[in-house]
Amino acid sequence: SRSFDHVRCEPAGDLIRKSSSDSARLQQEHRYLQALPPAVRRYFPALVSTELQSGDDGRLGMAMDYVPFPNLAELFLHWRLGANGWNQIARRLQLIRTALRQAAPACTAPPGQTLSWLYSGKLQRRLDQLKQHPPESNTAIGLAWDHFWQQPLQLTLVKSDHTELLQLPSPAACCQQLMAALPDLEESKPLQLIHGDLCFNNILAEPLSGSIRLIDPRGEQPDGASWPIGFGDPRYDLIKLLHSSCYLYDVVVNGLFQLQALSGGLQLRLDVPAQHRVANQALRSELIQNELNPEEERLLTSSLFFSMLPLHRSEPLHCLVLACIGILIFERRFDRVLAP
């Protein structure tokens, strides 16, 4: 559960009950599930009730089928599926993406409507939220957030038998350059039915058969959108996959890192999963293919890491590491995390 969500499992009734203080987000998800074309409903948990209901705590909630599969984050961090297992999962994911695309015809946004609502506009809104409510990193690690955000970063990466010092720009400087670069990638293009939050946490997989269910879709739209719920830029689903399979988002949010403040910088060790290479290669070969070029991957994924920061402000150490990864991606230095 995110800080604004509450998810409760009722195994006896095979039910998941989900409520949220973010009523707009929950309503978007509910509308998405209701509007799914029949041909692809089997890839998502079925809604038990067609209406949202208020709980005793006043939060809106919905009930869905319980799917007893582990999510891909658990499989990625703690299991050993091997190359064949990951290839099977990647092929199944690609089949589902194709089914989503074919279940509903693509549509085009009206003239003048760009994709900024998914990228630069979202990044700016999230940066404004971050400025208003910064993480309490001073309490957590003795480093004031504003100092970290504004100053060039000296990042010491801890490897198995040595360390490597990287001189990097400040998070603020990276975000300023991102805001200037993203509009070139936001020109209007055909919109397709996408998941909208296709990270490992939201993909449930039965590892023997490769059977998959998708949970927590985002029905995100800009104000006044004229297209159906659930439609967006297909690149967005791909960068959400990559931020899990390649860029170690799940390692961070599960606390599998060590972070220390040094005089003038930070020292970071990320516990790269043993199957990182085979999982990432499977998803790239089966799904990414030529749908993203290197600059799209760099800019859109870096922006994604920065835009997530206010959603994780309750965990200041996570915010610091996510920002470091955003900088490394933007500066084309993330390979140093993976290098021996």
Side-chain angles (χ1 to χ4, degrees):
S1 296
R2 288 277 183 83
S3 58
F4 45 79
D5 285 337
H6 178 69
V7 180
R8 186 176 77 252
C9 175
E10 297 179 2
D14 284 335
L15 287 179
I16 289 289
R17 297 192 184 275
K18 180 176 181 179
S19 60
S20 180
S21 59
D22 188 342
S23 59
R25 189 182 182 112
L26 189 75
Q27 287 170 337
Q28 288 172 348
E29 180 182 346
H30 188 257
R31 287 176 56 212
Y32 180 107
L33 293 171
Q34 283 189 312
L36 277 171
V40 293
R41 286 180 184 169
R42 67 185 183 277
Y43 299 123
F44 297 80
L47 286 171
V48 174
S49 172
T50 58
E51 300 295 332
L52 291 171
Q53 299 177 344
S54 295
D56 295 338
D57 58 1
R59 292 183 173 189
L60 284 176
M62 60 182 174
M64 298 171 287
D65 279 346
Y66 168 56
V67 180
F69 298 169
N71 64 44
L72 281 196
E74 294 169 311
L75 298 177
F76 182 61
L77 297 176
H78 306 302
W79 290 49
R80 293 291 184 92
L81 298 185
N84 288 336
W86 280 102
N87 285 328
Q88 177 177 239
I89 287 171
R91 285 192 292 269
R92 188 67 63 90
L93 278 172
Q94 181 61 0
L95 286 173
I96 294 174
R97 290 187 69 241
T98 300
L100 289 174
R101 183 170 64 247
Q102 294 175 346
C107 62
T108 304
Q113 175 71 64
T114 71
L115 295 169
S116 61
W117 57 282
L118 270 177
Y119 301 117
S120 64
K122 177 185 290 186
L123 177 59
Q124 187 60 65
R125 290 193 303 273
R126 297 282 177 80
L127 292 177
D128 291 342
Q129 294 171 12
L130 190 69
K131 185 175 182 180
Q132 293 175 5
H133 303 287
E136 296 181 358
S137 56
N138 199 29
T139 301
I141 200 174
L143 175 63
W145 181 261
D146 188 62
H147 178 83
F148 164 73
W149 191 255
Q150 298 294 338
Q151 299 301 314
L153 175 62
Q154 295 185 55
L155 181 64
T156 301
L157 294 176
V158 179
K159 311 295 185 69
S160 58
D161 59 357
H162 69 285
T163 61
E164 180 179 2
L165 176 63
L166 301 178
Q167 302 287 349
L168 300 165
S170 69
C174 284
C175 287
Q176 185 176 11
Q177 294 179 68
L178 273 171
M179 291 300 298
L182 286 172
D184 288 342
L185 304 180
E186 296 174 343
E187 294 181 3
S188 181
K189 59 172 56 183
L191 304 177
Q192 298 174 2
L193 180 59
I194 64 172
H195 178 279
D197 195 8
L198 199 61
C199 59
F200 278 7
N201 275 324
N202 292 337
I203 302 169
L204 309 182
E206 200 290 304
L208 294 180
S209 67
S211 182
I212 282 176
R213 296 294 183 272
L214 306 181
I215 62 172
D216 294 352
R218 287 296 309 275
E220 187 175 9
Q221 292 180 309
D223 293 338
S226 59
W227 52 86
I229 192 80
F231 278 64
D233 180 8
R235 294 177 301 179
Y236 194 75
D237 274 355
L238 297 180
I239 64 170
K240 292 293 290 193
L241 278 171
L242 284 172
H243 98 306
S244 285
S245 70
C246 180
Y247 297 110
L248 304 182
Y249 169 80
D250 301 289
V251 167
V252 178
V253 298
N254 283 278
L256 302 177
F257 64 86
Q258 297 83 43
L259 184 69
Q260 180 180 353
L262 305 176
S263 57
L266 288 172
Q267 179 175 283
L268 172 64
R269 179 182 182 126
L270 287 159
D271 297 337
V272 180
Q275 56 188 347
H276 173 273
R277 184 185 61 79
V278 296
N280 185 49
Q281 181 58 38
L283 290 168
R284 286 186 180 276
S285 62
E286 297 290 343
L287 283 96
I288 309 300
Q289 300 179 14
N290 60 354
E291 291 193 48
L292 278 176
N293 66 48
E295 275 300 275
E296 289 174 324
E297 179 175 334
R298 179 177 76 92
L299 295 172
L300 299 182
T301 312
S302 176
S303 171
L304 180 63
F305 271 87
F306 285 116
S307 71
M308 290 187 296
L309 295 179
L311 305 182
H312 294 272
R313 63 175 301 274
S314 61
E315 297 286 350
L317 296 185
H318 294 183
C319 287
L320 289 168
V321 179
L322 293 173
C324 288
I325 292 176
I327 297 171
L328 289 166
I329 297 170
F330 184 80
E331 289 293 299
R332 303 180 179 90
R333 305 295 296 277
F334 186 79
D335 62 310
R336 304 317 307 158
V337 172
L338 306 176

